[in-house]
């Protein structure tokens, strides 16, 4: 398949939707009212509209990993589940780390963090403006009820950072008497214990989920230990349904770095090595949220969710000269509120107000002199590089109006205004001196600290959507949407060399898409075609200045199929074809980037799953994961050839209480790289993937 570029492709997206819709309508035997939808269209999501609604009314691309699928997966890492989602191409790092990709290249470096919104039960894991690119490692994926994914811009309802999409981890309900214990073991001393307990007593329900995991690591000095605890209390207060949740997580991880050399990941001995045995990450977090839900007799629904968050992290930045240590601490509080109500016949209003206050401190400290060339030693002195505090305030009203124009046609239009205010307090000498004020050679120190200042960012995020019911089992949709990302505090205040002020604007992503979804007698399908343009892309130029003049374009096709091959067999396919290109006039090393493919952006990737289903929940699955080739540098001179992996999974319900799970990952024992890139200093670099691995788990439930 060849994808056209630029304006021709943009114009063709909505036209293609109309053509597909006409073909499906002609083929349909009978048109039906919008209230008669098949199960394939009745999948309920919270993330799509911030209220529980079937997906059929939403002019978006959404995916859901349900409880049965997650039980079969038994994922050790969030990437394993998201790999089943069209458009998602997360790159797994060492331990629990990852780099995100959702309708985007694999995001790394300046401007990468915060391009995707990560939530638990609709509350972002991190404060806007203070993201952690690995933040999903805190979420309780081990005991999640389901995972909901929005693909593409979702700024109107979700706000800052919902630029390339949203990943929302949905926690299990407490409304069931339950005791569940699980034990899982695998290679390299991997061990995970889980315990879930819940009780219902009159109007009160309590639940506890505990996960304890540890891994010695495939590579040298790369193990981790993690503990997660989640408590939930559900009750009623008059006409309000109340759900209080408290979650805490602790991670102690030894971190492995890249291995260098062309094709180094193919060398089994080298792939087990760790050039950075000193690197580590210690992270702790706690979150409290109280959801208050009111449903009136006339169908109106009010949701108010106040929340508190705390996070602290210490990690060795082994990827920087001098390997400085970073310590950061975040405290934040906020509320996310929304109202959904019929304001007239066939008109539905969703409106609300989100507000948040945040206080963050950051210290970067280098304990020993830098090693290497005279230039590095002189310009990267030991001592504090940065030491600052930032207080932030966010306020965001939004509204979305839905109109059921006919039995078949539904329109939505929405708008959000969001203001972010930073107050920055530098706790060191301003400028590019060493900590004691002394000057560095070769023109000055590498690190530059702005003087105290305030910064404000205002963003408008509109959206338009339409769904059209073609027939009983088929629906077309089209949308124009917008997402944004205010500059993160680290991009504004961790400057380098001569730069004293980062004149950055919010990144903006505007996109259009169209698609079809529905079901025939034997299979369900989703098809989406999209085109997006991003401006004010933040990058670090050749002078190490943070700039926001970048522009990129993104366009692609996504397909998801579930085909029933009889009584016991099912075939699932998730595929993506996309092109992600530079479209600004900047140069790198004297060469223009316009029209070049972005690095770490394969044109095609996806998965296929052949599943055998039996009664009582037992099932087995053979999974094929495909990663296409991609360039590893901006000039498109170096590349990674891609890879294909096979995984075998089985889940047996032994009796009413006990179940057994088996996972044989990388069945063919392929040599591959989870991540690959290229630098002028080290050449090709890789995070090697693990060889064939067997995981076995047993669980009991009463």
């Amino acid at each position: 398949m060849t994808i056209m570029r630029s304006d021709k492709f943009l114009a063709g997206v909505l036209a293609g939707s109309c053509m597909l819709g006409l073909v499906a309508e002609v083929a349909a035997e009978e048109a039906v009212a919008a209230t008669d939808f098949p199960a394939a269209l009745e999948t309920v999501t919270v993330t799509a509209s911030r209220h529980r609604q079937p997906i059929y009314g939403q002019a978006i691309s959404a995916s859901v990993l349900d409880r049965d699928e997650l039980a079969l997966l038994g994922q050790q890492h969030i990437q394993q589940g998201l790999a089943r989602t069209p458009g998602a191409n997360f790159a797994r790092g060492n331990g629990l780390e990852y780099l995100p990709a959702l309708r985007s290249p694999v995001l790394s470096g300046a401007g990468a963090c915060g391009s995707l919104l990560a939530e638990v039960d609709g509350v972002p894991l991190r404060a806007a403006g203070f993201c952690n690119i690995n933040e999903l490692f805190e979420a309780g994926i081990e005991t999640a009820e389901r995972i909901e994914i929005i693909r593409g811009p979702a700024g109107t309802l979700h706000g800052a950072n919902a630029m390339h999409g949203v990943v929302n981890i949905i926690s299990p309900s407490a409304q069931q008497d339950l005791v569940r214990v699980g034990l899982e073991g695998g290679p390299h001393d991997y061990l995970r214990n889980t315990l879930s307990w819940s009780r219902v007593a009159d109007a009160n329900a309590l639940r506890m989920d505990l996960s304890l995991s540890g891994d010695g690591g495939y590579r040298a000095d790369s193990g981790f230990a993690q503990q997660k605890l989640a408590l939930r209390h559900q009750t009623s207060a008059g006409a309000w349904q109340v759900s209080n949740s408290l979650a805490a997580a602790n991670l102690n991880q030894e971190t492995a770095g890249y291995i260098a050399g062309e094709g180094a990941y193919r060398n089994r001995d080298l792939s087990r090595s760790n050039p950075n045995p000193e690197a580590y990450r210690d992270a702790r977090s706690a979150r409290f949220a109280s959801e208050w839900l009111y449903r009136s007799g006339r169908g109106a629904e009010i949701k108010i969710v106040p929340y508190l968050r705390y996070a602290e992290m210490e990690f060795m930045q082994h990827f920087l000269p001098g390997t400085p240590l970073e310590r950061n601490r975040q405290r934040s509080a906020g509320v996310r509120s929304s109202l959904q109500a019929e304001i007239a016949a066939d008109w539905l209003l969703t409106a609300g107000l989100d507000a948040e206050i945040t206080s963050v401190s950051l210290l970067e400290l280098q304990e020993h002199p830098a090693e290497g060339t005279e230039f590095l030693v002189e310009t990267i002195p030991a001592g504090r590089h940065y030491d600052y505090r930032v207080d932030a305030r966010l306020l965001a009203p939004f509204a979305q109006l839905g109109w059921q124009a006919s039995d078949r046609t539904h329109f939505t239009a929405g708008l959000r205004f969001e203001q972010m205010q930073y107050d920055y307090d530098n706790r060191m000498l301003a400028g590019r001196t060493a900590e004691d004020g002394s000057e560095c050679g070769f023109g000055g120190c590498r690190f530059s600290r702005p003087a105290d200042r305030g910064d404000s960012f205002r963003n408008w995020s509109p959206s338009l959507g339409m769904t059209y019911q073609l027939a009983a089992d088929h629906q077309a949709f089209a949308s124009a949407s917008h997402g944004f990302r205010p500059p993160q505090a680290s991009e504004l205040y961790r400057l380098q060399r001569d730069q004293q002020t980062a004149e950055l604007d919010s990144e903006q992503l505007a996109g259009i898409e169209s698609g079809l979804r529905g079901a025939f007698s034997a299979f369900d399908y989703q098809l989406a075609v999209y085109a997006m343009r991003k401006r004010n892309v933040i990058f670090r130029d050749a002078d190490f200045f943070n700039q926001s003049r970048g522009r990129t374009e993104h366009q692609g096709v996504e397909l998801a199929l579930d085909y029933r091959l009889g009584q016991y067999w099912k075939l699932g396919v998730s595929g993506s074809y996309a092109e992600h290109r530079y479209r600004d006039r900047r140069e790198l090393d004297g060469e223009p980037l316009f029209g070049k493919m972005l690095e770490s952006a394969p044109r095609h990737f996806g998965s296929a799953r052949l599943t055998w289903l039996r009664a009582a929940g037992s099932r087995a699955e053979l999974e094929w994961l495909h990663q296409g080739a991609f360039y590893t540098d901006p000039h498109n001179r170096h590349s990674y050839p891609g890879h294909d992996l096979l995984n075998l999974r089985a889940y047996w319900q032994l009796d009413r209480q006990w179940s057994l799970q088996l996972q044989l990952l990388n069945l063919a024992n392929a040599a591959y790289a989870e991540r690959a890139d290229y630098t002028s200093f080290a050449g090709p670099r890789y995070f090697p993937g693990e060889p064939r691995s067997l995981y076995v788990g047993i669980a009991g439930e009463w």
Side-chain angles (χ1 to χ4, degrees):
M1 179 182 296
T2 301
I3 290 190
M4 296 159 48
R5 288 186 51 209
S6 189
D7 297 326
K8 293 183 179 179
F9 183 84
L10 294 170
V13 174
L14 294 178
S17 174
C18 295
M19 291 295 292
L20 289 170
L22 289 173
V23 171
E25 184 175 10
V26 170
E29 295 181 0
E30 180 182 6
V32 298
T35 54
D36 293 327
F37 297 107
L41 299 180
E42 291 179 346
T43 300
V44 174
T45 73
V46 178
T47 312
S49 66
R50 296 181 54 153
H51 294 260
R52 287 181 58 86
Q53 284 191 341
I55 197 172
Y56 68 76
Q58 313 301 319
I60 60 171
S61 291
S63 302
V64 178
L65 302 176
D66 61 24
R67 179 169 53 185
D68 290 340
E69 193 165 12
L70 293 175
L72 176 64
L73 267 172
Q75 52 188 343
Q76 294 85 35
H77 192 284
I78 186 66
Q79 179 266 349
Q80 295 169 305
L82 296 179
R84 306 161 85 89
T85 301
N89 190 36
F90 279 46
R92 187 171 178 175
N94 177 77
L96 298 176
E97 297 174 354
Y98 64 87
L99 293 177
L102 188 58
R103 286 191 178 175
S104 71
V106 173
L107 298 166
S108 63
C113 188
S115 295
L116 175 74
L117 185 62
E119 299 179 332
V120 171
D121 299 322
V123 176
L125 281 163
R126 282 287 191 276
F130 303 94
C131 66
N132 180 336
I133 203 166
N134 300 290
E135 57 204 16
L136 276 167
F137 65 59
E138 298 174 9
I141 64 170
E142 299 83 358
T143 55
E145 176 71 15
R146 64 187 187 276
I147 300 176
E148 299 180 356
I149 304 102
I150 295 178
R151 311 193 303 273
T156 300
L157 292 180
H158 292 274
N161 299 4
M163 195 164 58
H164 283 279
V166 181
V167 176
N168 191 9
I169 310 298
I170 306 299
S171 302
S173 169
Q175 298 291 340
Q176 177 187 4
D177 286 340
L178 170 76
V179 176
R180 188 180 191 278
V181 295
L183 176 64
E184 181 183 358
H188 326 301
D189 299 321
Y190 177 84
L191 186 65
R192 181 166 68 188
N193 299 281
T194 57
L195 170 64
S196 296
W197 172 91
S198 64
R199 283 292 181 270
V200 181
D202 299 324
N204 294 284
L206 294 171
R207 181 176 178 118
M208 179 196 71
D209 291 291
L210 176 67
S211 173
L212 307 173
S213 58
D215 189 346
Y218 164 63
R219 301 173 63 188
D221 301 302
S222 65
F224 71 84
Q226 186 180 49
Q227 306 84 40
K228 297 179 184 178
L229 174 66
L231 303 173
R232 180 176 292 271
H233 171 237
Q234 293 175 279
T235 188
S236 58
W240 293 84
Q241 299 177 26
V242 183
S243 179
N244 300 308
S245 61
L246 176 65
N250 177 67
L251 172 67
N252 302 105
Q253 176 179 290
E254 303 298 319
T255 303
Y258 284 101
I259 58 173
E262 186 67 44
Y265 61 91
R266 300 189 185 97
N267 185 317
R268 291 297 193 191
D269 292 333
L270 188 57
S271 68
R272 289 180 176 273
S273 66
N274 178 9
N276 304 103
E278 76 286 355
Y280 70 93
R281 179 189 298 269
D282 292 337
R284 291 160 291 280
S285 66
R287 304 183 307 275
F288 171 78
S290 182
E291 179 182 290
W292 291 69
L293 181 65
Y294 171 79
R295 293 188 178 98
S296 75
R298 302 181 61 183
E301 186 172 287
I302 300 174
K303 183 187 291 186
I304 303 173
V305 187
Y307 59 86
L308 300 168
R309 290 179 302 219
Y310 175 83
E312 62 179 23
M313 183 165 61
E314 178 179 300
F315 71 103
M316 182 73 71
Q317 299 178 91
H318 61 278
F319 43 86
L320 296 178
T323 60
L325 184 71
E326 179 185 318
R327 297 190 183 103
N328 62 65
R329 179 176 295 174
Q330 301 186 16
R331 300 178 180 89
S332 57
V335 61
R336 293 173 75 84
S337 61
S338 60
L339 160 71
Q340 189 172 86
E342 270 193 30
I343 57 174
D346 302 322
W347 290 87
L348 182 69
L349 173 68
T350 302
L353 179 70
D354 296 339
E356 185 172 86
I357 57 173
T358 307
S359 180
V360 173
S361 62
L362 182 142
L363 169 68
E364 180 176 302
L365 172 68
Q366 183 175 313
E367 296 181 349
H368 306 288
E371 298 179 356
T373 65
E374 183 181 356
F375 175 81
L376 289 177
V377 172
E378 185 63 29
T379 59
I380 305 178
R384 289 183 297 166
H385 297 160
Y386 306 99
D387 188 356
Y388 63 76
R389 172 175 170 167
V390 180
D391 295 323
R393 299 179 299 279
L394 180 146
L395 189 66
F398 65 90
Q400 179 173 281
L401 194 61
W403 175 40
Q404 190 69 45
S406 69
D407 287 343
R408 296 189 185 188
T409 310
H410 183 264
F411 294 96
T412 58
L415 182 65
R416 181 188 191 94
F417 172 73
E418 184 163 306
Q419 176 169 311
M420 167 73 79
Q421 175 72 44
Y422 294 113
D423 292 320
Y424 160 76
D425 175 22
N426 178 32
R427 296 174 173 177
M428 295 180 63
L429 291 172
R432 57 182 302 195
T433 66
E435 178 182 2
D436 60 6
S438 61
E439 300 286 339
C440 295
F442 294 93
C445 302
R446 178 169 181 167
F447 307 101
S448 178
R449 298 170 292 275
D452 296 354
R453 57 177 294 158
D455 293 281
S456 181
F457 300 92
R458 296 175 177 87
N459 292 283
W460 294 89
S461 189
S463 62
L464 293 171
M466 180 193 74
T467 60
Y468 183 76
Q469 195 67 24
L470 299 164
D473 297 348
H474 306 278
Q475 185 179 80
F477 68 92
S479 69
S481 56
H482 177 271
F484 62 93
R485 171 192 180 276
Q488 305 295 291
S490 60
E491 296 158 356
L492 289 167
Y493 309 124
R494 297 174 76 169
L495 304 182
Q496 295 195 8
R497 301 193 180 182
D498 288 332
Q499 193 170 26
Q500 294 298 308
T501 302
E503 300 295 341
L504 302 180
D505 295 319
S506 296
E507 292 188 0
Q508 310 281 341
L509 181 65
I512 59 174
E513 74 171 296
S514 60
L516 295 170
R517 55 188 170 225
F520 291 96
S521 59
F523 68 88
D524 304 337
Y525 68 93
Q526 295 183 48
L527 173 67
V529 184
Y530 68 88
M532 307 183 298
R533 285 186 172 176
K534 190 193 296 188
R535 61 186 177 88
N536 297 333
V537 177
I538 295 173
F539 64 95
R540 182 160 288 176
D541 65 16
D543 295 320
F544 287 79
F545 284 16
N546 286 342
Q547 305 282 3
S548 62
R549 300 191 308 270
R551 292 177 178 264
T552 58
E553 63 180 8
H554 313 262
Q555 51 200 33
V557 180
E558 297 167 351
L559 176 66
L561 290 174
D562 279 315
Y563 185 70
R564 293 172 287 280
L565 302 170
Q567 185 177 0
Y568 301 118
W569 295 89
K570 183 177 76 170
L571 177 66
V573 175
S574 300
S576 303
Y577 183 97
E579 292 189 357
H580 308 280
R581 294 182 181 272
Y582 293 100
R583 59 178 301 268
D584 58 83
R585 298 297 179 181
R586 88 185 107 123
E587 294 185 351
L588 183 64
D589 297 330
E591 293 187 29
L593 294 178
F594 188 89
K596 296 278 200 322
M597 293 284 291
L598 273 70
E599 55 271 33
S600 301
R603 284 186 171 89
H604 45 82
F605 59 89
S607 65
R609 302 163 298 278
L610 181 62
T611 307
W612 177 71
L613 303 167
R614 291 294 290 177
S618 297
R619 61 182 64 189
E621 175 187 274
L622 179 64
E623 179 185 48
W624 168 49
L625 297 176
H626 170 69
Q627 176 73 274
F630 56 84
Y631 292 111
T632 55
D633 70 301
H635 292 305
N636 296 175
R637 296 172 183 155
H638 306 273
S639 63
Y640 172 72
H643 59 257
D644 295 278
L645 301 176
L646 292 175
N647 299 320
L648 179 63
R649 297 183 174 94
Y651 179 90
W652 289 279
Q653 193 67 45
L654 302 177
D655 56 27
R656 293 182 61 183
Q657 283 81 39
W658 293 95
S659 61
L660 181 67
Q661 184 185 56
L662 180 146
Q663 301 177 61
L664 188 56
L665 306 182
N666 193 3
L667 184 64
N669 204 30
Y672 72 101
E674 296 278 7
R675 284 165 50 184
D677 75 359
Y678 179 90
T679 71
S680 58
F681 298 103
R685 307 186 305 171
Y686 309 94
F687 269 80
E690 293 192 21
R692 185 186 299 116
S693 303
L694 175 65
Y695 294 84
V696 179
I698 188 169
E701 184 174 320
W702 300 268

